[in-house]
């Protein structure tokens, strides 16, 4: 029987080097998709899936993220005095999406280490993990909601979201090997973080959403340095295979890699095209640009 998943962890301590200079003084998780910071989209996804508490693992420049999920009384008062009460209501909602707790990763020792920093805040419970570079849309229950549902059906085993990536792209991801069951879940038999080109066991790539049982906590403590000199979450998950088990779940909906420049632009266009106020003028602009290109 699997325990209820109450807490999510969002690692946000990376240096964001791919988005310099924008990420020099602002965490890359605050860069907007149209006018909403990527981390807000991810916190909303977690809250929509029933998560009550979100632990954000911060590095430097953490105050922008904390401030974003807090009340901004001065700004709210100024907007109120200008009659912009709709905007004020929207800002107030952000502070109430979920209970946000911040912890600090004092050294950049890898994704697995970042998650381990959240252990005291989460406790010995199962945990949902959402990487803010991966954005999802589409469907009633996007991203982590599908995994939380699958976790409830897997008897205490961990679950991780996967997608088939084109051949030649495997080295950018954690790759799973497994056997497909009658539910359409892959029972994981092996995992490798960013395999060298030509060595991947499959094209099933981990795409930034996980629900892991409490057994992940001691596993993270003993995981040795792996790919790129960091402590890798993928390596810690290997020990779940012979313990409570691990399933890879193909996720429905669209996924955007907002950690990559083209993926970030794609997410901006896709999210803007879903908005009634932007769709028509943006399509007209895109047509004009294509004609001129
Ligand atoms: C991380 C994980 C990797 C996963 C990827 C998904 O890598 O370590 O296993 O496939 O996220 O986005 P990163 O992209 O942070 O280097």
């Amino acid at each position: 029987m699997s325990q209820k998943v109450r807490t999510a962890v969002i690692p946000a301590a990376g240096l964001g080097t791919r988005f310099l200079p924008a990420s020099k003084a602002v965490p890359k998780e605050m860069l907007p998709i149209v006018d909403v910071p990527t981390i807000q989209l991810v916190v909303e996804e977690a809250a929509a899936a029933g998560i009550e508490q979100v632990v954000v693992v911060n590095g430097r420049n953490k105050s922008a993220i904390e401030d974003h999920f807090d009340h901004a009384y001065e700004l709210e008062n100024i907007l109120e005095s200008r009659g912009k009460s709709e905007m004020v209501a929207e800002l107030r909602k952000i502070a109430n999406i979920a209970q946000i707790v911040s912890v600090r990763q004092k050294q950049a020792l890898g994704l697995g280490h970042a998650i381990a920093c959240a252990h005291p805040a989460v406790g010995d419970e199962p945990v949902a993990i959402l990487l803010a570079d991966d954005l999802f849309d589409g469907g009633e229950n996007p991203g982590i909601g599908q995994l939380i549902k699958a976790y409830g059906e897997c008897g205490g085993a961990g679950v991780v979201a996967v997608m088939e990536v084109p051949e030649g792209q495997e080295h950018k991801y954690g790759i799973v090997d497994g056997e497909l069951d009658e539910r359409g879940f892959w029972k994981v038999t092996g995992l490798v973080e960013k395999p060298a080109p030509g060595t991947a066991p499959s094209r099933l790539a981990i795409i930034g959403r996980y629900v892991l049982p409490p057994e992940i906590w001691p596993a993270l403590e003993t995981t040795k340095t792996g790919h790129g000199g960091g402590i890798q979450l993928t390596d810690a998950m290997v020990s779940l295979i012979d313990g409570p088990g691990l399933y890879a779940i193909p996720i429905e909906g669209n996924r955007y890699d907002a950690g990559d420049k083209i993926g970030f632009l794609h997410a901006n266009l896709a999210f803007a095209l879903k908005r009634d106020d932007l769709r028509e003028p943006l399509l007209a602009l895109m047509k004009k640009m294509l004609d001129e290109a």
Side-chain angles (χ1 to χ4, degrees), residues 98-238:
Q99 191 201 339
I100 307 283
V101 174
S102 297
V103 299
R104 184 101 177 188
Q105 183 188 23
K106 293 181 187 154
Q107 283 174 286
L109 296 179
L111 177 60
H113 178 258
I115 303 301
C117 292
H119 182 198
V122 180
D124 289 324
E125 291 199 13
V127 62
I129 298 168
L130 298 91
L131 306 189
D133 278 350
D134 292 286
L135 299 177
F136 291 87
D137 73 3
E140 290 279 290
N141 192 14
I144 200 72
Q146 293 174 35
L147 276 195
I148 290 177
K149 184 169 173 284
Y151 180 71
E153 296 164 5
C154 287
V159 291
V160 55
V162 290
M163 155 185 117
E164 225 172 72
V165 291
E167 207 175 331
Q169 298 290 307
E170 300 93 331
H171 64 284
K172 297 181 181 169
Y173 297 92
I175 298 289
V176 312
D177 196 7
E179 287 150 23
L180 196 61
D181 72 12
E182 64 288 348
R183 295 172 297 189
F185 299 171
W186 296 86
K187 177 129 186 57
V188 177
T189 53
L191 285 160
V192 50
E193 178 67 8
K194 307 207 173 91
T199 67
S202 81
R203 290 195 284 119
L204 283 176
I206 298 172
I207 45 169
R209 296 292 181 274
Y210 314 73
V211 178
L212 301 177
E215 288 84 349
I216 195 63
W217 300 117
L220 283 166
E221 295 302 324
T222 52
T223 299
K224 305 240 166 14
T225 303
H227 180 88
I231 295 172
Q232 297 299 340
L233 178 58
T234 303
D235 295 340
M237 289 194 302
V238 171

